[in-house]
Amino acid sequence: MHFDAIARVPGDPILGLMEAYAKDSNPNKFDLGVGVFKDAQGLTPVPVAVKVAEQRLLDSQASKSYVGGHGDATFGRLICELVLGNESPLLQAQRVGTTQTPGGTGALRLAAEFIKHCLPGRGIWLSDPTWPIHETLFASAGLAVHHYPYVGADNRLNVPAMLTALESAPKGDVVLLHACCHNPTGFDLSQQDWLAVLEVVRRRELLPLIDFAYQGFGDGLEEDAWMVRRFAAELPELLITSSCSKNFGLYRERTGALLVSSKDAQKLLDVRSQLALLARNLWSTPPDHGAAVVAQILGDPALKHLWVEEVDAMRQRIAQLRTGLVEALAPHGLRERFAHIAQQRGMFSYTGLSAEQVTQLRERHSVYLVSTGRANIAGADAARLDALAAAIADVCR
Ligand code: LMR
């Protein structure tokens, strides 16, 4: 038969955890696996601003005809402003354009196809470690994947090693940088570190691809954009992927964008003509609903204000869970060992737990995290941090 030679492959390591967690009948289980925000009730809520925008769309949407290849122009402009700032000179000079994509992953895939087809021979440099889908997505698109050190076996950020590796990258190669809330480690670079990276990128003539999936989850919507805006101000060309999954809570609506900045408006038109063609071959035209919601929110000052408050509340909850967990670990003599959890940013923490300890946590305590020791801190329950800390202490004995 045609399919006889097809082998079964293991499922996605992150999404597989969602299924395993759902099947676990232990009422005291913890879901620290897939990167979704959870509130105090353990739910991943639809933000109120999104609900209001959806109601407006329901009442006013007159057509579901296709949006163009680059998506909705209003969404594109508003995302540019969110990412680069309202006053960005790039917007005024028409040096930046947006292509609406199915989520941040769609934006990454479009960027990968763009590099493969329009910048042939360029390799891509990923942090070690990085989000596992970065590894497979760029390889699937046919790019040569290289790595720069980021967090070592001691579970510490190693910026000098990162800079040394980037120095060795061939001129013209692409370097993927996590703007904030590094996935999977939660360790972010300081502003000073970013300036050092910028210097190497400029000198080695590398092309940055900035993955901006967690805007607002680190230090704030504006604060998290600092490195993106600095790179955009100082470099003539840049690729940026933006995701609305987390900060707008639109996960399943698949809402994101690829932003490209170019040396001038004319060259940008050339680049965008290629992106439209590539997107046509990938998904034809992007899904509309999530982007229409985002455009409603960002285009209405009152609704935007409500949304900013909701993002702030999500960020504050994660920050409190981080410090709360370290406090809860203290009576077990583990405060020092896990102090980094309070310093990391965003949803994720590279805890430093081994694969074996992760297995023990799951088998003995129904605590689910990725085998690399990555925990989604946003999945923890503030009322049960003592139980979580006791489980961690048990596997650390
Ligand atoms: C994660 O890393 O858990 C999230 O980015 C969700 C995903 O798609 O893997």
Side-chain angles (χ1 to χ4, degrees):
M1 300 300 286
H2 294 296
F3 301 158
D4 281 355
I6 297 176
R8 192 174 310 179
V9 291
D12 180 84
I14 297 176
L15 297 182
L17 280 175
M18 282 178 93
E19 288 164 34
Y21 175 80
K23 280 192 200 141
D24 190 328
S25 58
N26 182 348
N28 299 318
K29 60 189 178 178
F30 281 93
D31 179 9
L32 310 185
V34 69
V36 296
F37 174 82
K38 293 197 184 184
D39 63 14
Q41 283 70 46
L43 300 171
T44 302
V46 182
V48 177
V50 168
K51 281 286 190 197
V52 172
E54 286 186 313
Q55 190 58 54
R56 286 188 193 166
L57 286 176
L58 201 62
D59 295 340
S60 67
Q61 196 171 52
S63 172
K64 289 206 182 276
S65 178
Y66 300 116
V67 290
H70 290 292
D72 176 53
T74 305
F75 167 80
R77 178 179 53 79
L78 292 166
I79 283 291
C80 271
E81 289 177 7
L82 182 68
V83 169
L84 297 172
N86 294 346
E87 307 298 325
S88 170
L90 275 79
L91 283 161
Q92 266 127 48
Q94 298 184 328
R95 279 183 45 213
V96 60
T98 308
T99 303
Q100 184 180 316
T101 57
T105 310
L108 288 163
R109 183 66 197 220
L110 181 58
E113 297 292 333
F114 173 71
I115 296 161
K116 175 74 184 166
H117 289 94
C118 301
L119 304 172
R122 313 289 184 101
I124 186 154
W125 291 71
L126 307 177
S127 65
D128 178 18
T130 193
W131 183 48
I133 312 308
H134 283 151
E135 305 279 357
T136 50
L137 182 150
F138 290 104
S140 307
L143 298 185
V145 175
H146 311 284
H147 296 94
Y148 57 85
Y150 192 75
V151 166
D154 59 354
N155 203 26
R156 280 168 204 262
L157 189 60
N158 190 344
V159 180
M162 171 181 177
L163 294 172
T164 305
L166 293 182
E167 286 284 359
S168 75
K171 271 198 172 132
D173 267 12
V174 181
V175 53
L176 188 141
L177 302 166
H178 300 229
C180 68
C181 308
H182 184 269
N183 182 4
T185 68
F187 286 110
D188 283 349
L189 269 57
S190 68
Q191 292 187 356
Q192 207 182 352
D193 294 333
W194 279 127
L195 293 178
V197 173
L198 177 61
E199 165 56 24
V200 177
V201 161
R202 198 190 340 242
R203 188 154 30 78
R204 298 295 306 158
E205 294 173 28
L206 304 175
L207 174 63
L209 164 52
I210 301 177
D211 189 352
F212 201 14
Y214 298 93
Q215 185 174 5
F217 274 35
D219 291 314
L221 285 160
E222 297 296 309
E223 292 84 345
D224 292 347
W226 186 87
M227 77 73 66
V228 185
R229 294 175 186 176
R230 187 68 185 245
F231 275 54
E234 303 223 4
L235 297 171
E237 295 170 324
L238 206 56
L239 301 169
I240 306 163
T241 57
S242 165
S243 170
C244 302
S245 296
K246 284 84 182 178
N247 51 12
F248 286 89
L250 282 167
Y251 307 87
R252 68 175 65 163
E253 300 297 351
R254 311 310 300 136
T255 310
L258 174 64
L259 283 69
V260 180
S261 74
S262 174
K263 65 174 186 184
D264 59 37
Q266 285 309 311
K267 187 44 68 186
L268 184 65
L269 293 177
D270 298 339
V271 171
R272 283 173 65 72
S273 70
Q274 297 280 353
L275 290 175
L277 212 58
L278 292 165
R280 179 77 164 138
N281 283 302
L282 288 167
W283 49 72
S284 194
T285 62
D288 165 70
H289 181 73
V293 165
V294 169
Q296 284 281 337
I297 294 172
L298 296 180
D300 176 331
L303 207 48
K304 182 174 177 187
H305 182 75
L306 172 62
W307 169 71
V308 170
E309 283 183 349
E310 291 188 275
V311 176
D312 288 348
M314 288 193 275
R315 183 181 60 255
Q316 280 152 17
R317 175 176 155 76
I318 299 169
Q320 282 162 7
L321 285 168
R322 285 184 176 282
T323 49
L325 181 55
V326 176
E327 285 306 310
L329 285 160
H332 301 279
L334 294 172
R335 183 201 291 274
E336 285 302 303
R337 174 158 172 197
F338 289 104
H340 55 273
I341 293 178
Q343 286 141 23
Q344 293 158 330
R345 286 287 179 276
M347 292 202 278
F348 302 119
S349 168
Y350 236 34
T351 56
L353 293 167
S354 67
E356 194 189 336
Q357 288 168 322
V358 169
T359 305
Q360 289 168 351
L361 273 173
R362 188 173 64 241
E363 289 177 352
R364 291 194 214 154
H365 302 283
S366 295
V367 176
Y368 288 78
L369 54 156
V370 183
S371 60
T372 53
R374 186 195 85 169
N376 172 26
I377 300 295
D381 176 355
R384 293 192 296 135
L385 287 180
D386 288 340
L388 179 58
I392 293 172
D394 175 48
V395 303
C396 288
R397 265 195 270 278

